[in-house]
């Protein structure tokens, strides 16, 4: 089969999915339709915002489907009318069986981890938060249980001790596009090999909620550093700051450094702020960590030196 004869329906929403969709289009694959989330209101003006995938699909003149409910008869009928050979899913909602069983060649997903590690909605965040030194992407065929299907292929990348989610996300987004093209080519050429995921060896990667983002200063320095970079730049780790006058405010923390030169190390309880010139350190369970950039509630993100011009922090809690 030629690539232009293979009818593909692409499911995706964020920027992470756009890179793979763009590669498919650029290499001449037949994208019969793009399925993405409905436009949603956002911002103070409650303007309708389009997903990144929709913006790209509009630009390229691709057919777009935006179902509110994935089991809705009108949506299912629309998919059947397309009579696609293959569905590709990247960063989208969980598909019902009536959808993912539809194409004759199956439905495969690109997932942002080395399965079976980090099954779930936030694999990149959770891997960095846990201090993993390696992560990657995996393609696999969908089945009933989320992220459990037979694996097709995977690629890994190293994770540096100061890499944050933004850095790792971009790298995985690009090697993920390579994996998608490679997987489709193997399907076309009938050279695909699959293998089941090992039983009982998975690591969960649940969705990130606000309570997951709060920093626990009673933790070890390395764990706090991993927590901060695993949530940076979005949704961002945060803590409540008390200043010299007793006022409190929430502060997002984007960048930190494990410190070996913390002044007064070991003399204060965890969460205590120590200022050294234009530098700010916070004590932890086993030492202290330096805060490099942060964002007070209602303000813009700034370097610590700029923050200290207007604030006199005493303690994080």
């Amino acid at each position: 089969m030629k690539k232009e004869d293979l009818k593909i329906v692409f499911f995706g929403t964020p920027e992470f999915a756009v890179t793979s969709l763009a590669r498919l289009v650029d290499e001449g694959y037949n994208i019969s339709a793009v399925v993405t989330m409905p436009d949603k209101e956002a911002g103070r003006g409650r303007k309708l915002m389009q997903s990144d995938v929709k913006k790209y699909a509009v630009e390229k003149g691709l057919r777009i489907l935006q179902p509110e409910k994935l089991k809705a008869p009108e949506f299912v009928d629309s998919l059947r009318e397309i009579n696609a050979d293959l569905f590709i899913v990247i960063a989208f909602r969980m598909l019902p069986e009536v959808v993912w069983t539809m194409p004759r060649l199956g439905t495969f997903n690109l997932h942002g981890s080395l399965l079976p590690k980090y099954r779930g909605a936030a694999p990149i965040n959770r891997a960095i938060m846990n201090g993993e030194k390696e992560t990657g992407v995996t393609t696999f065929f969908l089945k009933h249980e989320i992220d459990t299907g037979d694996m097709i292929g995977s690629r890994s990348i190293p994770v540096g001790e100061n890499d944050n989610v933004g850095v790792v996300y971009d790298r995985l987004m690009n090697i993920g596009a390579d994996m998608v093209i490679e997987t489709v080519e193997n399907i076309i050429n009938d050279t695909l090999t699959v293998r089941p995921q090992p039983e009982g060896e998975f690591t969960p990667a649940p969705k990130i909620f606000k309570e997951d983002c709060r920093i626990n200063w009673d933790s070890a320095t390395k764990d706090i550093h991993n927590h901060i970079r695993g949530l940076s730049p979005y949704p961002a780790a945060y803590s409540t700051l008390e200043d010299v006058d007793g006022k409190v405010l929430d502060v997002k923390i984007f960048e930190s450094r494990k410190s070996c030169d913390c002044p007064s190390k070991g003399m204060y309880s965890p969460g205590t702020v120590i200022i050294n010139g234009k530098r700010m350190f916070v004590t932890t369970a086993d030492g202290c960590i330096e805060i490099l950039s942060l964002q007070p509630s209602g303000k813009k993100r700034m370097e610590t030196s700029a923050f200290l011009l207007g604030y006199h922090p005493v303690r994080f809690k």
Side-chain angles (χ1 to χ4, degrees):
M1 175 183 286
K2 297 180 180 178
K3 63 174 66 174
E4 56 269 24
D5 295 329
L6 182 75
K7 297 172 71 175
I8 297 172
V9 174
F10 185 93
F11 296 73
T13 294
E15 179 190 18
F16 192 85
V18 174
T19 302
S20 293
L21 176 58
R23 281 285 302 277
L24 289 163
V25 171
D26 291 345
E27 298 204 13
Y29 285 96
N30 177 8
I31 306 300
S32 300
V34 170
V35 183
T36 191
M37 67 179 291
D39 299 349
K40 62 179 181 180
E41 293 182 346
R44 293 182 179 178
R46 310 307 296 168
K47 293 181 180 179
L48 284 177
M49 300 295 291
Q50 299 177 346
S51 73
D52 291 327
V53 164
K54 181 178 179 180
K55 291 175 185 175
Y56 176 83
V58 169
E59 177 187 328
K60 294 299 181 179
L62 302 174
R63 181 182 177 185
I64 301 168
L65 301 175
Q66 294 179 274
E68 290 282 352
K69 296 181 180 180
L70 297 175
K71 290 184 179 180
E74 58 271 23
F75 171 62
V76 174
D77 289 344
S78 295
L79 286 179
R80 285 203 178 101
E81 288 171 6
I82 294 169
N83 193 29
D85 302 295
L86 178 68
F87 289 172
I88 300 174
V89 183
I90 304 176
F92 194 68
R93 292 177 282 169
M94 187 174 179
L95 298 184
E97 184 175 359
V98 67
V99 172
W100 60 261
T101 57
M102 196 178 296
R104 66 180 184 86
L105 295 176
T107 298
F108 79 82
N109 178 268
L110 173 73
H111 187 70
S113 80
L114 297 173
L115 290 173
K117 278 192 169 184
Y118 298 104
R119 292 175 182 166
I124 306 175
N125 298 90
R126 297 290 183 180
I128 299 174
M129 291 167 76
N130 287 345
E132 296 286 355
K133 292 179 171 57
E134 179 186 59
T135 188
V137 290
T138 305
T139 52
F140 68 96
F141 282 114
L142 262 60
K143 60 182 290 187
H144 290 285
E145 297 82 8
I146 188 167
D147 299 337
T148 62
D150 290 346
M151 297 184 293
I152 303 166
S154 63
R155 289 191 184 178
S156 63
I157 61 167
V159 180
E161 69 171 18
N162 293 313
D163 288 344
N164 65 17
V165 163
V167 169
V168 176
Y169 181 99
D170 288 346
R171 289 159 64 194
L172 292 182
M173 184 167 62
N174 288 301
I175 69 165
D178 294 339
M179 279 297 306
V180 167
I181 296 299
E182 180 181 304
T183 299
V184 177
E185 287 177 348
N186 284 331
I187 290 173
I188 289 175
N189 297 328
D190 197 24
T191 55
L192 201 67
T193 57
V194 299
R195 64 191 191 281
Q197 294 188 39
E199 292 291 336
E201 296 184 14
F202 75 95
T203 308
K207 183 178 179 179
I208 303 288
F209 294 97
K210 184 175 181 179
E211 56 267 30
D212 298 311
C213 299
R214 180 176 282 278
I215 298 170
N216 178 7
W217 299 104
D218 288 316
S219 301
T221 301
K222 68 176 180 61
D223 294 331
I224 294 173
H225 179 63
N226 292 340
H227 187 84
I228 290 169
R229 66 194 183 94
L231 295 167
S232 179
Y234 182 83
Y238 81 98
S239 185
T240 301
L241 175 65
E242 180 181 343
D243 71 9
V244 71
D245 298 319
K247 296 178 181 178
V248 297
L249 73 157
D250 283 345
V251 176
K252 291 181 178 180
I253 298 177
F254 295 97
E255 191 178 2
S256 60
R257 178 163 53 210
K258 292 184 291 184
S259 180
C260 297
D261 59 350
C262 175
S264 305
K265 181 177 179 180
M267 295 177 60
Y268 301 101
S269 60
T272 302
V273 175
I274 302 170
I275 306 300
N276 185 10
K278 296 181 179 180
R279 301 171 71 185
M280 181 169 71
F281 302 85
V282 185
T283 56
T284 67
D286 62 352
C288 65
I289 191 166
E290 184 175 3
I291 305 304
L292 303 178
S293 66
L294 63 171
Q295 182 179 359
S297 181
K299 304 291 184 179
K300 293 182 179 180
R301 176 176 173 173
M302 62 186 77
E303 302 298 313
T304 295
S305 57
F307 173 79
L308 292 175
L309 294 175
Y311 296 88
H312 304 283
V314 172
R315 168 174 293 278
F316 282 102
K317 55 186 180 179

